[in-house]
Each structure stands twice: as structure tokens, then as C-alpha cells.
Amino acid sequence: RALAAELAELAQHHGLNPVLRVRGRDGAGRGDVVRAMLAAADQALRNVAQHSGQHAVAIRASQSNHRVRVESRDDGVGFDDTQVGSRRMGLRSSIPGHLALVHGSAQVTSRPGKGTTVLLSWEQTSPTERGAPVSAAQLRTWWWISLLFVGLHVLGGLSGGAPLASGW
């Protein structure tokens, strides 16, 4: 089934009114990744229903063959992470635990009175990428930096009154 339909069903199961915005093709993400996302989203939506004091939740999702992201946001009571009891395992182990199985990550942001945002993400690393700090695509788009560097040096040389060096 489509990720959007699954997320809507999860939210409605917890008594929430979802406002969905989904990008990407249905079925684009790996099955195990989508299942992990849905399990983590289920826990996040359960927390919204139990603790936020709200019935509406905004859900944004995007999926492709190499990346899946699900973000849920509520305008509820929010919380201070340092004040969450150690018995509350959803934030500390359940949500990140589902994503850890597929090498994904979860980020929870909340402030008292400002609501809560949960960002679930997974990205496949390219087998050809070797951890380079700058990708080949970035190098191709940064041609203008080289042009600016050379241009400023030529301009500086011309305005300095000294002859420009030529040759090797």
C-alpha cells in the first residue's frame, strides 16, 4: 500500500486528524525501510494522541529509491526532554530503535507550549561514494568559484600597476 494511505490510517487509528503532504512515487522505498518508518511513525503518532492535547497532526513525507523521510508535527503542549521520565521508552528507544534496524535516524524536537516535531529519515549511501567531503556533482556546480578566484587575481594584478607574469 501507499505510504500516504498507511500514514493516514495510523493517524486515524490513534484518533488524530492528519494533514498529509506526500512527495514521491508509491512503492519507491525499500520494503524494510518503509515498514521501519511506519512502526516509528506509529509510536510518534501514539505520543501525539496521548500527550499533546491536540487532535490534528501535520505529516510530511517523501520517498524515493534512495531516501525516505517522514515528519510529524503537532501544535500541542510540547515538553522539556530533560523532564521526560526514564520509564517513557518511546522517545529514547522505540522510535530510534525501529529506524536503527535499517540504519535510519530519528530526531525529536519539542519545547513546552510550542508543540513537537518528529523527523524520521533514512538515506541509502551510494556504493561509489567513498566518504569524500565534496561530491563530483558539487564540484561540477562550483565552477564559478574558480572563475571568481582567477578573475579577482587578474584584476588585482592589473590594478596594482605591476606587470603580469606569463608563462610557467
Side-chain angles (χ1 to χ4, degrees):
R1 292 182 53 191
L3 181 62
E6 293 285 347
L7 289 169
E9 187 176 305
L10 284 174
Q12 291 166 354
H13 172 75
H14 293 295
L16 299 169
N17 300 321
V19 177
L20 284 167
R21 208 168 80 195
V22 179
R23 295 177 53 200
R25 294 185 331 230
D26 289 340
R30 285 183 7 203
D32 59 335
V33 172
V34 172
R35 284 190 298 276
M37 284 284 173
L38 290 171
D42 183 42
Q43 180 65 47
L45 294 170
R46 179 180 295 124
N47 288 346
V48 171
Q50 289 178 350
H51 305 294
S52 75
Q54 297 290 306
H55 293 289
V57 62
I59 302 172
R60 291 189 320 183
S62 63
Q63 63 180 342
S64 70
N65 291 334
H66 305 289
R67 182 176 168 181
V68 180
R69 292 173 51 114
V70 174
E71 179 185 75
S72 65
R73 183 177 46 81
D74 68 73
D75 294 326
V77 296
F79 61 92
D80 179 359
D81 188 33
T82 62
Q83 302 299 317
V84 176
S86 61
R87 294 183 314 115
R88 302 284 184 195
M89 301 305 287
L91 293 175
R92 291 197 172 84
S93 62
S94 180
I95 293 173
H98 290 297
L99 293 170
L101 295 173
V102 293
H103 305 288
S105 64
Q107 179 182 1
V108 179
T109 307
S110 186
R111 289 188 3 217
K114 300 292 184 183
T116 302
T117 301
V118 178
L119 175 62
L120 313 172
S121 60
W122 172 85
E123 190 165 344
Q124 179 180 0
T125 55
S126 170
T128 59
E129 189 73 38
R130 296 188 192 151
V134 178
S135 71
Q138 288 171 320
L139 285 176
R140 285 191 300 271
T141 60
W142 290 352
W143 61 268
W144 60 270
I145 292 175
S146 298
L147 182 64
L148 180 65
F149 180 79
V150 170
L152 287 173
H153 279 83
V154 168
L155 184 63
L158 292 173
S159 66
L164 292 176
S166 62
W168 294 101

